[in-house]
Amino acid sequence: MHLVALLFLTELSVRKIVIAGNWKMFKTQAESKEFLEGFLPSLVDTPQDREVLLCVPFTDLNLLSQSLHGSRVNLGAQNVHWEDNGAYTGEISAPMLTEIGVRYVIVGHSERRQYFGETDETVNLRLKAAQKHGLTPILCVGETKQQRDAGETESIITNQLQKDLVGVDQNNLIIAYEPIWAIGTGDTCETIEANRVIGLIRTQLNNPNVTIQYGGSVKPNNVDQIMAQPEIDGALVGGASLEPASFARIVNYQ
Ligand code: 13P
């Protein structure tokens, strides 16, 4: 019995906590500079075992790479193409990102799936390309309100994972469970339910130590409750990551 408990604790402790901001299409360079001036000083007491990261628009990456140098905040992009270069107007490749110090990249966000024709097949290609160049991808999965109401949450997520993760290295991967109906709506998923779905996602993986975040209306007033859930290893934060005090409160959750 003691051994089982010890193994359980050992397993828990290996999962890294990652709190990430996703700025989406917000902030010019001037605005990002102003954000950092307010945000970085709030991290002095942030526990060292929390990885903090900002996923910003392409035009902000270079500036943030320089401004974050020597800080404890890591840098992420919001998309990556699967080829190293080529005739792909409007796309960015992994070598272009790693060259300027980007370490993470969001792949398969529901906004890309909904508005820009992202499919599980292209998500899979992007994940593999990111890993090939040493980036850590954050794979987003989640169901629509309609799918949830039809009782399809489990099958949709299982299906996304099966297709997206073919040939993907689970030792260099973060997953974000983002129920689409909870994104930008203030309609946070019940923490117990988010914990349940994330537990389900974990059963689909062959590496039990993959960090799995929750995303969807994470705010200063609900982050403590969300992070208290045993299966939830972090948060992917949209709107509330745009304002220094609000994102600092989330990063410094109790
Ligand atoms: P909100 O936090 O604004 O709901 O956005 C969540 C999200 O899409 C993060 O990727």
Side-chain angles (χ1 to χ4, degrees):
M1 185 61 189
H2 282 119
L3 184 64
V4 172
L6 186 68
L7 284 173
F8 181 66
L9 282 175
T10 312
E11 185 174 292
L12 272 185
S13 63
V14 202
R15 278 166 25 209
K16 196 160 62 169
I17 292 169
V18 182
I19 309 289
N22 172 11
W23 281 359
K24 308 192 178 185
M25 198 177 72
F26 288 95
K27 293 197 191 295
T28 61
Q29 293 197 43
E31 289 162 347
S32 1
K33 201 157 169 266
E34 199 183 327
F35 173 92
L36 291 183
E37 280 160 16
F39 178 65
L40 291 179
S42 322
L43 299 180
V44 280
D45 294 325
T46 307
Q48 285 303 324
D49 60 357
R50 293 181 196 175
E51 184 106 350
V52 181
L53 116 97
L54 285 168
C55 299
V56 304
F58 291 131
T59 51
D60 293 332
L61 287 171
N62 210 18
L63 173 77
L64 258 74
S65 178
Q66 291 163 35
S67 314
L68 295 177
H69 193 73
S71 87
R72 54 163 303 161
V73 181
N74 278 300
L75 188 57
Q78 299 173 10
N79 196 10
V80 63
H81 196 265
W82 50 90
E83 296 290 348
D84 290 0
N85 47 53
Y88 300 104
T89 304
E91 292 283 328
I92 297 280
S93 76
M96 292 169 182
L97 296 174
T98 54
E99 183 190 39
I100 57 167
V102 174
R103 293 195 38 206
Y104 293 85
V105 62
I106 296 172
V107 175
H109 192 280
S110 61
E111 286 149 15
R112 298 227 51 92
R113 295 181 193 252
Q114 272 186 303
Y115 309 136
F116 301 101
E118 190 80 77
T119 64
D120 289 312
E121 288 67 34
T122 53
V123 166
N124 177 255
L125 290 171
R126 293 183 202 275
L127 289 171
K128 288 187 289 193
Q131 291 185 332
K132 184 177 131 199
H133 291 281
L135 289 163
T136 301
I138 302 176
L139 165 66
C140 300
V141 295
E143 80 288 357
T144 62
K145 176 90 175 75
Q146 210 178 12
Q147 289 163 338
R148 171 160 283 265
D149 290 347
E152 294 168 2
T153 301
E154 290 77 8
S155 62
I156 290 292
I157 286 169
T158 304
N159 189 45
Q160 284 178 336
L161 290 170
Q162 268 168 10
K163 290 181 173 160
D164 296 352
L165 292 180
V166 176
V168 169
D169 176 8
Q170 295 187 11
N171 294 309
N172 181 29
L173 175 71
I174 294 174
I175 294 178
Y177 169 53
E178 296 209 310
I180 296 169
W181 48 272
I183 294 177
T185 57
D187 191 11
T188 322
C189 185
E190 289 284 334
T191 47
I192 306 255
E193 174 59 8
N195 189 65
R196 184 188 74 82
V197 178
I198 288 177
L200 172 92
I201 292 173
R202 208 176 297 289
T203 65
Q204 309 289 307
L205 305 176
N206 55 36
N207 176 4
N209 296 321
V210 172
T211 292
I212 310 182
Q213 302 172 311
Y214 167 77
S217 298
V218 176
K219 305 288 177 199
N221 66 5
N222 60 25
V223 67
D224 300 340
Q225 206 190 349
I226 291 167
M227 290 307 298
Q229 296 295 321
E231 294 287 354
I232 303 181
D233 307 324
L236 185 55
V237 187
S241 73
L242 294 172
E243 203 265 311
S246 142
F247 193 47
R249 174 61 184 85
I250 290 174
V251 166
N252 294 320
Y253 71 86
Q254 311 286 303

